[in-house]
Amino acid sequence: MIQEQQKRLLVVAAHPDDEVLGCGATVAKLQHQGWQATLVLMTQGVGGRAESADALDEHHRAAQQQLAVERDNAARQLGFEQVISFDFPDNRMDTVAKADIAHQVAHVVAQVKPDLVFTHHPGDYNWDHTCTFEAVMMGARCNPPDFSPAEIRTFEVLSSTERAWHQAATTFMPNCWVDVAQTLEHKCQALQCYQSELRNYPHPRSVDGVRNLARKRGNEVGIEYAEAFHVVRRVER
Protein backbone atom coordinates (compact mmCIF):
# COMPACT_ATOMS: atom_id res chain seq x y z
CA MET A 1 0.00 0.00 0.00
CA ILE A 2 1.41 3.36 -1.10
CA GLN A 3 1.39 5.76 1.84
CA GLU A 4 2.99 8.98 0.62
CA GLN A 5 1.06 12.15 1.40
CA GLN A 6 -1.03 13.96 -1.20
CA LYS A 7 -1.30 11.03 -3.57
CA ARG A 8 -4.37 11.18 -5.81
CA LEU A 9 -7.03 8.50 -6.09
CA LEU A 10 -9.69 8.37 -8.80
CA VAL A 11 -12.69 6.04 -8.46
CA VAL A 12 -14.73 5.52 -11.63
CA ALA A 13 -18.02 3.73 -11.01
CA ALA A 14 -21.11 3.15 -13.10
CA HIS A 15 -23.86 3.85 -10.55
CA PRO A 16 -24.32 5.62 -7.24
CA ASP A 17 -23.51 3.11 -4.46
CA ASP A 18 -21.05 1.07 -6.59
CA GLU A 19 -18.22 3.14 -5.15
CA VAL A 20 -19.23 2.25 -1.60
CA LEU A 21 -19.78 -1.44 -2.27
CA GLY A 22 -16.63 -1.83 -4.34
CA CYS A 23 -13.98 0.12 -2.47
CA GLY A 24 -15.53 2.30 0.22
CA ALA A 25 -13.40 1.10 3.11
CA THR A 26 -10.17 1.45 1.11
CA VAL A 27 -11.14 4.95 0.02
CA ALA A 28 -11.68 5.91 3.66
CA LYS A 29 -8.34 4.34 4.62
CA LEU A 30 -6.42 6.18 1.91
CA GLN A 31 -8.17 9.44 2.72
CA HIS A 32 -7.10 9.07 6.34
CA GLN A 33 -3.53 8.57 5.11
CA GLY A 34 -3.63 11.91 3.27
CA TRP A 35 -4.73 10.90 -0.21
CA GLN A 36 -6.99 13.17 -2.26
CA ALA A 37 -9.95 11.19 -3.59
CA THR A 38 -12.16 12.02 -6.57
CA LEU A 39 -15.28 10.09 -7.50
CA VAL A 40 -16.67 9.80 -11.04
CA LEU A 41 -20.12 8.27 -11.54
CA MET A 42 -21.05 7.46 -15.12
CA THR A 43 -24.84 7.45 -14.62
CA GLN A 44 -27.34 8.96 -12.23
CA GLY A 45 -28.92 5.58 -11.57
CA VAL A 46 -32.63 4.70 -11.50
CA GLY A 47 -33.16 5.01 -15.26
CA GLY A 48 -32.77 1.29 -15.78
CA ARG A 49 -36.03 0.76 -13.93
CA ALA A 50 -37.93 2.28 -16.86
CA GLU A 51 -38.97 -0.09 -19.63
CA SER A 52 -37.23 2.10 -22.21
CA ALA A 53 -35.07 5.21 -22.27
CA ASP A 54 -38.09 7.18 -23.48
CA ALA A 55 -40.21 5.96 -20.56
CA LEU A 56 -38.41 7.95 -17.85
CA ASP A 57 -40.99 10.09 -16.08
CA GLU A 58 -41.21 12.51 -13.17
CA HIS A 59 -41.16 9.65 -10.66
CA HIS A 60 -37.84 8.39 -12.02
CA ARG A 61 -36.44 11.94 -12.01
CA ALA A 62 -37.52 12.45 -8.41
CA ALA A 63 -35.84 9.18 -7.44
CA GLN A 64 -32.66 10.34 -9.19
CA GLN A 65 -32.71 13.57 -7.20
CA GLN A 66 -33.06 11.65 -3.97
CA LEU A 67 -30.25 9.32 -5.01
CA ALA A 68 -28.02 12.33 -5.71
CA VAL A 69 -28.55 13.54 -2.13
CA GLU A 70 -27.68 10.08 -0.83
CA ARG A 71 -24.62 9.99 -3.10
CA ASP A 72 -23.30 13.26 -1.71
CA ASN A 73 -23.86 12.14 1.87
CA ALA A 74 -22.03 8.87 1.22
CA ALA A 75 -19.17 10.73 -0.48
CA ARG A 76 -18.70 12.94 2.56
CA GLN A 77 -18.71 9.89 4.80
CA LEU A 78 -15.85 8.31 2.83
CA GLY A 79 -13.87 11.53 2.35
CA PHE A 80 -14.21 12.19 -1.39
CA GLU A 81 -13.14 15.76 -2.10
CA GLN A 82 -14.87 15.92 -5.47
CA VAL A 83 -17.81 14.12 -7.10
CA ILE A 84 -18.26 14.23 -10.88
CA SER A 85 -21.57 12.83 -12.11
CA PHE A 86 -22.15 12.12 -15.80
CA ASP A 87 -25.55 11.39 -17.31
CA PHE A 88 -24.99 8.34 -19.47
CA PRO A 89 -28.13 6.18 -19.69
CA ASP A 90 -28.47 3.96 -16.63
CA ASN A 91 -28.24 0.27 -17.50
CA ARG A 92 -28.10 1.32 -21.15
CA MET A 93 -24.50 2.48 -21.45
CA ASP A 94 -24.07 -0.15 -24.15
CA THR A 95 -26.23 2.05 -26.42
CA VAL A 96 -23.58 4.82 -26.37
CA ALA A 97 -20.48 4.77 -28.56
CA LYS A 98 -17.53 3.51 -26.53
CA ALA A 99 -15.37 6.39 -27.75
CA ASP A 100 -17.84 8.95 -26.38
CA ILE A 101 -17.67 7.36 -22.93
CA ALA A 102 -13.89 6.96 -23.01
CA HIS A 103 -13.34 10.60 -23.97
CA GLN A 104 -15.22 11.73 -20.86
CA VAL A 105 -13.05 9.52 -18.67
CA ALA A 106 -9.90 10.72 -20.45
CA HIS A 107 -10.78 14.35 -19.71
CA VAL A 108 -11.11 13.55 -16.00
CA VAL A 109 -7.86 11.58 -15.95
CA ALA A 110 -6.04 14.50 -17.59
CA GLN A 111 -7.54 16.91 -15.06
CA VAL A 112 -7.11 14.88 -11.86
CA LYS A 113 -3.85 13.11 -12.78
CA PRO A 114 -4.47 10.22 -10.39
CA ASP A 115 -1.71 7.98 -9.10
CA LEU A 116 -4.23 5.19 -8.58
CA VAL A 117 -7.54 4.36 -10.28
CA PHE A 118 -10.24 2.02 -8.99
CA THR A 119 -12.98 0.81 -11.32
CA HIS A 120 -15.24 -2.13 -12.09
CA HIS A 121 -14.36 -5.73 -12.80
CA PRO A 122 -15.26 -6.23 -16.48
CA GLY A 123 -16.91 -9.62 -15.96
CA ASP A 124 -19.75 -8.31 -13.80
CA TYR A 125 -23.39 -9.20 -14.32
CA ASN A 126 -24.18 -5.54 -15.03
CA TRP A 127 -23.09 -4.43 -18.51
CA ASP A 128 -22.68 -0.81 -17.39
CA HIS A 129 -19.79 -2.08 -15.26
CA THR A 130 -18.13 -3.59 -18.33
CA CYS A 131 -18.64 -0.38 -20.32
CA THR A 132 -17.11 1.63 -17.49
CA PHE A 133 -14.08 -0.64 -17.26
CA GLU A 134 -13.48 -0.40 -21.00
CA ALA A 135 -13.78 3.38 -20.88
CA VAL A 136 -11.20 3.54 -18.08
CA MET A 137 -8.78 1.32 -19.95
CA MET A 138 -9.05 3.57 -23.00
CA GLY A 139 -9.22 6.87 -21.14
CA ALA A 140 -6.27 6.00 -18.86
CA ARG A 141 -4.14 4.24 -21.46
CA CYS A 142 -0.38 4.71 -21.63
CA ASN A 143 -0.05 7.14 -24.53
CA PRO A 144 3.06 9.38 -24.22
CA PRO A 145 3.28 12.28 -23.76
CA ASP A 146 -0.23 12.19 -22.25
CA PHE A 147 -0.56 11.52 -18.52
CA SER A 148 -1.41 7.97 -17.45
CA PRO A 149 -1.95 6.65 -13.91
CA ALA A 150 0.68 4.33 -12.50
CA GLU A 151 -1.85 1.82 -11.19
CA ILE A 152 -5.32 0.60 -12.09
CA ARG A 153 -7.30 -1.86 -9.97
CA THR A 154 -10.72 -3.39 -10.40
CA PHE A 155 -13.12 -4.07 -7.53
CA GLU A 156 -16.09 -6.35 -6.91
CA VAL A 157 -19.63 -5.11 -6.33
CA LEU A 158 -22.09 -7.07 -4.25
CA SER A 159 -25.31 -7.88 -6.16
CA SER A 160 -23.42 -7.79 -9.45
CA THR A 161 -20.02 -9.49 -9.41
CA GLU A 162 -21.26 -12.64 -7.69
CA ARG A 163 -24.22 -12.86 -10.09
CA ALA A 164 -22.03 -13.15 -13.18
CA TRP A 165 -21.49 -16.41 -15.03
CA HIS A 166 -18.59 -18.02 -13.18
CA GLN A 167 -16.13 -19.10 -15.81
CA ALA A 168 -12.49 -18.19 -16.34
CA ALA A 169 -13.16 -15.19 -18.55
CA THR A 170 -15.61 -13.48 -16.20
CA THR A 171 -14.82 -14.54 -12.63
CA PHE A 172 -13.34 -11.91 -10.33
CA MET A 173 -9.90 -13.16 -9.25
CA PRO A 174 -8.32 -10.82 -6.68
CA ASN A 175 -4.58 -10.46 -6.45
CA CYS A 176 -4.50 -7.59 -3.96
CA TRP A 177 -6.09 -7.38 -0.50
CA VAL A 178 -6.36 -4.26 1.67
CA ASP A 179 -6.74 -4.53 5.44
CA VAL A 180 -9.84 -2.47 6.24
CA ALA A 181 -10.47 -3.43 9.86
CA GLN A 182 -10.16 0.22 10.89
CA THR A 183 -12.45 1.66 8.19
CA LEU A 184 -15.06 -1.02 7.50
CA GLU A 185 -17.59 0.85 9.63
CA HIS A 186 -17.08 3.93 7.45
CA LYS A 187 -18.12 1.79 4.49
CA CYS A 188 -21.16 0.46 6.34
CA GLN A 189 -22.20 3.97 7.37
CA ALA A 190 -21.75 5.22 3.80
CA LEU A 191 -23.89 2.37 2.49
CA GLN A 192 -26.61 3.34 4.96
CA CYS A 193 -26.63 6.78 3.37
CA TYR A 194 -28.07 5.03 0.30
CA GLN A 195 -31.44 4.25 1.85
CA SER A 196 -33.08 3.91 -1.57
CA GLU A 197 -30.54 1.25 -2.60
CA LEU A 198 -30.01 -0.53 0.73
CA ARG A 199 -31.69 -3.90 1.17
CA ASN A 200 -32.30 -6.23 4.09
CA TYR A 201 -30.14 -9.30 4.65
CA PRO A 202 -29.81 -11.87 3.07
CA HIS A 203 -29.76 -9.53 0.06
CA PRO A 204 -26.06 -8.99 -0.72
CA ARG A 205 -26.54 -5.21 -0.92
CA SER A 206 -26.98 -4.98 2.84
CA VAL A 207 -24.78 -4.02 5.77
CA ASP A 208 -24.51 -7.67 6.83
CA GLY A 209 -23.67 -8.63 3.24
CA VAL A 210 -20.84 -6.07 3.22
CA ARG A 211 -19.46 -7.32 6.52
CA ASN A 212 -19.68 -10.95 5.41
CA LEU A 213 -17.72 -10.29 2.21
CA ALA A 214 -15.09 -8.27 4.10
CA ARG A 215 -14.69 -11.11 6.56
CA LYS A 216 -14.38 -13.67 3.75
CA ARG A 217 -11.77 -11.61 1.90
CA GLY A 218 -9.87 -11.08 5.14
CA ASN A 219 -9.92 -14.80 5.90
CA GLU A 220 -8.30 -15.45 2.52
CA VAL A 221 -5.14 -13.66 3.66
CA GLY A 222 -5.20 -14.19 7.39
CA ILE A 223 -6.64 -10.88 8.57
CA GLU A 224 -9.98 -9.92 10.05
CA TYR A 225 -11.48 -7.75 7.29
CA ALA A 226 -10.32 -6.91 3.77
CA GLU A 227 -11.41 -5.43 0.47
CA ALA A 228 -10.12 -7.31 -2.55
CA PHE A 229 -8.92 -5.94 -5.88
CA HIS A 230 -7.43 -7.16 -9.13
CA VAL A 231 -4.40 -5.12 -10.16
CA VAL A 232 -4.73 -4.57 -13.90
CA ARG A 233 -1.67 -2.40 -14.32
CA ARG A 234 1.09 -1.16 -12.04
CA VAL A 235 4.06 0.88 -13.22
CA GLU A 236 6.83 1.44 -10.67
CA ARG A 237 8.96 4.49 -11.36
Side-chain angles (χ1 to χ4, degrees):
M1 180 66 65
I2 306 171
Q3 297 190 19
E4 292 89 340
Q5 297 297 306
Q6 298 304 307
K7 290 284 189 176
R8 292 179 294 274
L9 169 68
L10 176 64
V11 177
V12 185
H15 316 103
D17 85 353
D18 287 340
E19 79 286 1
V20 175
L21 293 166
C23 58
T26 302
V27 171
K29 180 173 184 172
L30 292 176
Q31 191 272 333
H32 289 164
Q33 293 175 351
W35 286 60
Q36 298 175 344
T38 297
L39 171 62
V40 171
L41 292 169
M42 305 305 291
T43 78
Q44 296 185 42
V46 177
R49 300 172 191 171
E51 292 186 2
S52 71
D54 297 329
L56 267 69
D57 57 26
E58 66 273 12
H59 300 293
H60 296 112
R61 296 301 181 190
Q64 285 181 331
Q65 292 175 1
Q66 177 59 37
L67 189 58
V69 173
E70 296 173 355
R71 172 204 69 203
D72 291 343
N73 290 337
R76 282 192 291 271
Q77 177 65 42
L78 296 180
F80 283 107
E81 296 186 9
Q82 181 181 16
V83 177
I84 300 169
S85 182
F86 293 124
D87 194 21
F88 290 107
D90 175 57
N91 273 284
R92 295 182 175 89
M93 285 181 65
D94 57 320
T95 66
V96 181
K98 292 181 179 180
D100 293 348
I101 304 172
H103 278 301
Q104 292 293 335
V105 173
H107 290 321
V108 175
V109 169
Q111 173 191 349
V112 174
K113 292 182 169 54
D115 301 280
L116 175 60
V117 177
F118 293 160
T119 193
H120 289 283
H121 169 62
D124 280 2
Y125 170 82
N126 190 300
W127 42 74
D128 282 357
H129 295 188
T130 303
C131 292
T132 299
F133 169 82
E134 291 175 343
V136 168
M137 293 307 295
M138 178 62 73
R141 67 192 182 278
C142 299
N143 186 42
D146 297 341
F147 172 86
S148 61
E151 185 170 344
I152 299 173
R153 302 182 197 173
T154 61
F155 51 69
E156 57 188 332
V157 173
L158 283 162
S159 76
S160 180
T161 307
E162 82 281 1
R163 291 179 179 175
W165 180 27
H166 291 293
Q167 44 120 16
T170 59
T171 300
F172 178 71
M173 298 181 182
N175 56 14
C176 175
W177 289 258
V178 178
D179 187 336
V180 296
Q182 300 303 313
T183 54
L184 180 60
E185 288 310 307
H186 290 273
K187 176 173 182 166
C188 293
Q189 291 168 18
L191 181 59
Q192 290 177 85
C193 292
Y194 280 113
Q195 284 297 310
S196 63
E197 299 297 312
L198 189 66
R199 298 293 181 267
N200 293 324
Y201 189 80
H203 195 288
R205 199 164 63 247
S206 61
V207 172
D208 284 342
V210 164
R211 290 196 178 107
N212 288 345
L213 180 60
R215 188 183 300 274
K216 175 183 183 296
R217 291 308 187 190
N219 290 166
E220 291 172 351
V221 291
I223 58 180
E224 187 174 9
Y225 295 110
E227 281 183 332
F229 299 87
H230 184 94
V231 178
V232 177
R233 182 177 82 214
R234 177 186 290 140
V235 180
E236 296 186 4
R237 297 187 174 94

